[in-house]
């Protein structure tokens, strides 16, 4: 029987839209027919991590966390809740941004689970950030004369969360496409509040490395950067701040190309999804965001 | 499609078939075919084809083995919907012709059968049982259930899918078996799997204490709530969150293996096998609040005011505040009544009867 894909995402008890990107990306992958089944599962919604595996028929499952960084959720919560027997973070032999995959057996269902690193630290995520910059500016060649800020939490909650931001900022900087690339943080220096101080370029594209839009991406960051005094009133894209034009993209996780990263994770773990990857790349490049900002 | 059931039967016949009142046995290079309606022996393959072609028993066998989802729990659920293990096929087909109704949470599922023996299913809200189909919005894609399940009738987000707050006004008509299962599982995730495990005597219940012990991160604190005497606090949690008025799953978890809770787990068809994330998140807050000791306060209230305070708590706890009419000043939780009480009994700081909150235990 063909294997199944299970996506593990955070979800929310309070925000109805938190799960929207997860469903959207799952639908994109479902449409490729690459897996017998595609199942969404959530820490805060249903099906829960505890009960997702029993809802799929396949004996073999690719489990991909729709999380930004490696750490608490990917190394402790998900393996524990999915009852992945014999899990040890060393199986990924990661330095914080280089997780691979591990093949384990679920204690409660006996299914073979290829447990993959999170989407956020996969190299393909850099492409999604760039594509996000393209979609928010409507310019497929965006880069020249433009600064790019990749924004995340700081280390306060998870040391690796800053690493993931810096990793992608570094990779995109090395490509030389944008005049400037800078990692910024919400709770430590360099802070997103001072975004304009870190760029010479007139135009700054700001892409938060978050899976879903919510409190941080819709309220905190826009207010911190001075796009608006009150997030409920909204803001323009771009908004002029201190003589710069700020193109604020909202959560990168709503970018349709994210579905590609999920597939890449599964492919790295051995899933036969090359055709699906082609199809998804074709379908999602230059598409509109998965969820409204 | 036409004739598929015959081809499948002929392909399977050499191994013998015994299913739902259909028997096909191999006898040398011939076959015996038996149903409550007819018995034939010494059939060659062409004879077998001829006999099978119009047999509702063969079409039924084909549906259950080639059309219905084969995952054991999905299959068992579909069988349960038409009471297949208890009712002979001929009777079942008559029942299905009229439509066999089952309830699953707030879903009303009607199983029917088409001329080819294929089951077709209809789903609507239990409260829409008698609604004119034209008055209900028709959906086909099981994924439409996602949006229907997301908000209640008043547009409030439903974090708990098993809360009895599913909105009405929609229907899924004439769905296949696979679509039906997916629709049901979208409204009530994992319900079919856990229901089936329970029927098989294999429901893996994780009780409260074990669930709490597993928590880490910001939920790790809940472990400290279990360090006191007894399990009364868990009774309160279950009464607050798991009663049928709040959640349609039947709570099967208790304090631990040996300690049953004293409150009723409910009557739902779907079992709940461990405290859910909504309960754990609430328990985290209760753990913090319950670390406080009681104080003695002196409040001055008239008898009716005391009862009004109780009435307000009841109205909030029962979710009935929104139903109280604007000018229904006979209700304790009426807005004017509550505002009057506040105007009279709260001081400038919002203290009831002017009694300050004693945060430090009177020192
Ligand atoms: S823990 Fe209680 S509220 Fe949560 S799903 Fe189970 S029965 Fe319902």
């Amino acid at each position: 029987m063909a294997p199944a894909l299970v996506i593990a995402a955070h979800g929310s008890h309070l925000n109805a839209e938190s799960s929207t990107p997860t469903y959207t990306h799952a639908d994109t992958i479902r449409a490729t027919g690459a897996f017998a089944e595609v199942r969404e599962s959530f820490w805060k919604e249903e099906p829960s991590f505890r009960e997702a595996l029993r809802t799929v028929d396949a004996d073999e499952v690719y489990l991909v966390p729709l999380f930004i960084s490696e750490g608490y959720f990917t190394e402790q919560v998900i393996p524990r809740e999915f009852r992945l027997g014999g899990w040890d973070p060393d199986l990924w032999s990661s330095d914080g941004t280089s997780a691979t995959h591990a093949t384990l057996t679920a204690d409660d269902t006996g299914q073979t689970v290829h447990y993959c690193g999170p989407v956020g630290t996969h190299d393909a995520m850099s492409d999604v950030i760039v594509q996000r910059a393209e979609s928010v500016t409507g310019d497929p060649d965006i880069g020249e004369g433009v600064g790019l800020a990749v924004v995340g939490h700081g280390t306060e909650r998870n040391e690796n969360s800053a690493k993931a931001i810096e990793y992608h900022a570094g990779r995109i900087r090395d490509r030389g496409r944008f005049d400037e690339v800078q990692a910024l943080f919400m709770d430590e220096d360099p802070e997103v509040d001072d975004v304009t101080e870190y760029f010479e370029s007139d135009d700054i594209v700001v892409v938060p490395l978050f899976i879903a839009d919510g409190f941080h991406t819709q309220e905190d960051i826009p207010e911190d950067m001075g796009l608006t005094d009150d997030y409920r009133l909204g803001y323009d894209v771009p908004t002029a701040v201190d003589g710069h034009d700020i193109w604020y993209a909202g959560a990168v996780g709503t970018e349709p190309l994210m579905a590609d990263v999920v597939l890449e994770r599964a492919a790295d773990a051995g899933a036969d999804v090359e055709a699906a990857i082609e199809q998804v790349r074709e379908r999602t490049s230059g598409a509109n965001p998965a969820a409204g900002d | 499609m036409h004739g598929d059931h015959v081809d499948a039967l002929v392909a399977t016949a050499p191994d013998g078939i015994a299913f739902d009142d259909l028997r096909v046995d191999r006898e040398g290079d011939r076959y015996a075919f038996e149903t409550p309606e007819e018995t034939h022996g010494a059939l060659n393959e062409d004879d077998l084809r001829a006999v099978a072609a119009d047999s509702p028993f063969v079409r039924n066998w084909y549906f259950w083995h080639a059309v219905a989802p084969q995952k054991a729990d999905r299959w068992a659920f579909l069988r349960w919907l038409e009471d297949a293990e208890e009712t002979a096929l001929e009777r079942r087909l008559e029942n299905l012709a009229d439509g066999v109704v089952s309830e699953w949470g707030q879903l009303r599922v009607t199983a029917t059968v088409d001329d080819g023996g294929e089951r077709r299913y209809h789903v609507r809200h239990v409260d829409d049982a008698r609604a004119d189909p034209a008055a209900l919005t028709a959906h086909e894609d099981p994924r439409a259930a996602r949006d229907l399940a997301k908000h209640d009738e008043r547009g409030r987000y439903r974090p708990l899918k098993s809360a009895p707050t599913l909105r009405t006004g929609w229907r899924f008509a004439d769905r296949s078996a696979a679509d039906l299962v997916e629709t049901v599982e979208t409204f009530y995730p994992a319900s079919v799997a856990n229901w089936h495990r329970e029927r098989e005597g294999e429901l893996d219940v994780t009780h409260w204490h074990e669930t709490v012990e597993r928590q880490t991160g910001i939920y790790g604190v809940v472990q400290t709530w279990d360090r006191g005497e007894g399990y009364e606090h868990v009774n309160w949690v279950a009464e607050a969150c798991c009663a049928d008025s709040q959640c349609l799953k039947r709570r099967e978890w208790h304090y631990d293996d040996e300690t049953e809770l004293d409150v009723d787990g409910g009557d739902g068809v779907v079992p709940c096998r461990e405290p859910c994330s909504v309960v754990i998140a609430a328990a985290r807050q209760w753990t913090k609040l319950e670390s406080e000791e009681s104080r003695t306060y002196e409040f001055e209230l008239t008898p009716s005011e005391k009862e009004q305070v109780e009435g307000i708590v009841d109205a909030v706890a029962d979710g009935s505040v929104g139903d109280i009419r604007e000018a229904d000043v006979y209700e304790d939780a009426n807005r004017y009544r509550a505002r009057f009480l506040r105007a009279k009994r709260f001081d400038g700081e919002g203290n009831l009867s002017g009694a300050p909150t004693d945060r430090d235990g009177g020192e």
Side-chain angles (χ1 to χ4, degrees):
Chain A
M1 184 191 298
L5 172 70
V6 173
I7 300 175
H10 193 284
S12 169
H13 291 157
L14 300 174
N15 175 3
E17 299 312 321
S18 167
S19 56
T20 305
T22 307
Y23 284 118
T24 309
H25 305 319
D27 284 346
T28 302
I29 295 168
R30 212 171 261 124
T32 68
F35 295 94
E37 288 181 90
V38 179
R39 177 78 66 241
E40 307 84 348
S41 68
F42 302 95
W43 175 227
K44 297 285 192 168
E45 299 178 34
E46 296 159 85
S48 66
F49 291 168
R50 292 280 279 176
E51 298 183 350
L53 286 176
R54 63 188 61 194
T55 71
V56 297
D57 200 4
D59 298 326
E60 189 181 10
V61 173
Y62 290 87
L63 173 58
V64 178
L66 204 62
F67 280 77
I68 287 301
S69 48
E70 297 169 25
Y72 178 59
F73 277 102
T74 60
E75 292 174 6
Q76 288 188 49
V77 175
I78 295 173
R80 180 188 76 210
E81 299 289 295
F82 278 89
R83 291 173 258 200
L84 304 181
W87 163 253
D88 183 324
D90 289 344
L91 293 172
W92 275 352
S93 53
S94 176
D95 62 8
T97 56
S98 62
T100 51
H101 61 90
T103 298
L104 303 149
T105 303
D107 291 336
D108 58 330
T109 63
Q111 285 153 306
T112 300
V113 178
H114 304 285
Y115 181 42
C116 307
V119 289
T121 59
H122 194 278
D123 283 357
M125 195 69 200
S126 302
D127 300 339
V128 183
I129 295 169
V130 171
Q131 173 135 346
R132 189 78 188 144
E134 292 174 16
S135 20
V136 71
T137 55
D139 177 0
D141 303 312
I142 184 81
E144 210 184 316
V146 174
L148 173 69
V150 184
V151 182
H153 283 290
T155 48
E156 202 170 275
R157 282 168 29 147
N158 169 1
E159 171 197 359
N160 287 339
S161 124
K163 278 194 196 165
I165 312 295
E166 271 155 0
Y167 181 72
H168 292 296
R171 278 171 50 86
I172 298 168
R173 186 181 300 120
D174 291 347
R175 293 177 186 179
R177 173 167 170 173
F178 290 86
D179 280 13
E180 305 164 87
V181 179
Q182 177 73 47
L184 298 177
F185 302 100
M186 295 183 63
D187 48 23
E188 68 185 48
D189 285 336
E191 276 200 53
V192 68
D193 306 40
D194 312 317
V195 55
T196 53
E197 291 174 21
Y198 293 98
F199 290 91
E200 307 271 314
S201 316
D202 289 341
D203 287 289
I204 309 170
V205 180
V206 178
V207 179
L209 202 57
F210 285 79
I211 292 295
D213 274 316
F215 176 67
H216 291 310
T217 63
Q218 289 175 317
E219 304 177 21
D220 279 356
I221 299 176
E223 288 184 8
D224 288 351
M225 292 194 301
L227 299 186
T228 174
D229 294 331
D230 180 348
Y231 72 92
R232 283 165 297 193
L233 303 176
Y235 50 85
D236 295 327
V237 181
T239 298
V241 177
D242 302 335
H244 297 264
D245 268 346
I246 300 208
W247 302 76
Y248 180 60
V252 69
T254 61
E255 185 66 29
L257 187 60
M258 279 292 285
D260 170 61
V261 189
V262 176
L263 284 171
E264 301 277 355
R265 276 296 187 193
D268 292 350
D272 177 16
V273 292
E274 289 313 315
I277 288 176
E278 289 288 305
Q279 213 176 313
V280 164
R281 289 200 157 205
E282 193 142 304
R283 200 173 292 177
T284 58
S285 48
N288 292 317
D293 292 340
Chain B
M1 279 281 147
H2 217 73
D4 283 356
H5 62 293
V6 178
D7 292 340
L9 187 88
V10 168
T12 313
D15 300 328
I17 293 171
F19 179 77
D20 272 1
D21 298 333
L22 168 69
R23 268 196 86 91
V24 179
D25 289 306
R26 183 179 193 156
E27 292 170 341
D29 57 355
R30 300 268 162 164
Y31 295 98
F33 180 99
E34 188 187 337
T35 71
E37 282 173 0
E38 52 189 327
T39 305
H40 306 276
L43 303 174
N44 65 22
E45 192 185 307
D46 286 344
D47 301 334
L48 183 62
R49 285 182 175 275
V51 171
D54 292 324
S55 169
F57 294 85
V58 175
R59 291 184 191 277
N60 176 70
W61 168 82
Y62 182 75
F63 170 76
W64 287 109
H65 293 86
V67 180
Q70 298 296 297
K71 187 174 189 283
D73 50 16
R74 297 173 191 169
W75 199 82
F77 170 69
L78 293 164
R79 300 278 289 174
W80 174 82
L81 286 178
E82 58 185 72
D83 200 18
E85 306 314 330
E86 301 296 328
T87 316
L89 182 63
E90 286 168 300
R91 183 66 202 277
R92 251 156 70 204
L93 291 175
E94 283 167 32
N95 294 345
L96 287 165
D98 298 335
V100 180
V101 175
S102 312
E103 290 189 0
W104 191 262
Q106 286 180 292
L107 303 181
R108 178 189 160 92
V109 180
T110 307
T112 62
V113 64
D114 70 12
D115 294 342
E118 183 176 340
R119 292 353 179 228
R120 305 298 294 178
Y121 300 89
H122 310 262
V123 189
R124 52 168 74 180
H125 193 289
V126 285
D127 294 346
D128 285 332
R130 276 180 293 279
D132 176 354
L136 303 175
T137 309
H139 297 280
E140 294 189 348
D141 189 337
R143 285 175 285 179
R146 270 184 212 157
D147 283 334
L148 295 170
K150 205 174 198 180
H151 296 99
D152 67 13
E153 216 91 53
R154 288 187 191 156
R156 288 173 302 191
Y157 175 50
R158 300 171 70 239
L160 190 67
K161 291 255 177 42
S162 42
T165 53
L166 189 63
R167 58 193 251 215
T168 57
W170 47 266
R171 67 192 174 100
F172 291 78
D174 196 24
R175 309 320 307 151
S176 69
D179 273 5
L180 172 79
V181 172
E182 209 183 318
T183 303
V184 167
E185 282 270 301
T186 305
F187 280 116
Y188 296 116
S191 62
V192 171
N194 287 328
W195 166 85
H196 184 247
R197 276 182 174 243
E198 184 179 49
R199 271 167 48 113
E200 300 292 301
E202 291 168 358
L203 186 66
D204 48 341
V205 173
T206 309
H207 296 290
W208 166 273
H209 188 69
E210 211 184 312
T211 302
V212 158
E213 288 290 301
R214 195 177 81 231
Q215 303 304 315
T216 54
I218 61 170
Y219 300 106
V221 66
V222 183
Q223 294 172 17
T224 63
W225 204 16
D226 272 3
R227 304 237 164 95
E229 300 271 295
Y231 59 92
E232 199 179 22
H233 59 297
V234 189
N235 278 335
W236 296 330
V237 171
E239 185 172 331
C241 304
C242 307
D244 279 351
S245 64
Q246 307 302 306
C247 174
L248 295 172
K249 280 197 219 167
R250 170 171 32 83
R251 180 181 49 75
E252 286 298 320
W253 54 264
H254 290 278
Y255 180 74
D256 61 22
D257 256 357
E258 283 149 22
T259 321
E260 285 214 4
L261 297 183
D262 305 314
V263 294
D264 185 43
D267 300 320
V269 59
V270 176
C272 169
R273 41 165 301 284
E274 73 177 41
C276 65
S277 75
V278 172
V279 160
I280 293 298
R284 174 177 175 241
Q285 178 67 357
W286 282 316
T287 302
K288 292 186 196 165
L289 298 175
E290 289 294 288
S291 67
E292 296 175 5
E293 295 294 329
S294 294
R295 311 272 193 271
T296 303
Y297 293 96
E298 212 168 288
F299 297 118
E300 226 169 84
L301 299 172
T302 66
S304 294
E305 285 170 349
K306 173 184 172 286
E307 285 177 4
Q308 189 188 350
V309 170
E310 291 156 359
I312 289 171
V313 172
D314 277 341
V316 172
D318 297 337
S320 60
V321 177
D323 302 331
I324 295 172
R325 288 164 298 174
E326 191 76 2
D328 191 353
V329 293
Y330 308 99
E331 286 286 344
D332 288 327
N334 169 268
R335 199 173 70 245
Y336 295 128
R337 287 280 307 284
R339 292 178 64 84
F340 183 92
L341 183 72
R342 183 170 69 178
K344 178 181 169 190
R345 290 297 186 188
F346 285 20
D347 68 11
E349 268 80 61
N351 289 309
L352 180 59
S353 289
T357 301
D358 177 7
R359 282 269 152 221
D360 319 313
E363 282 139 40

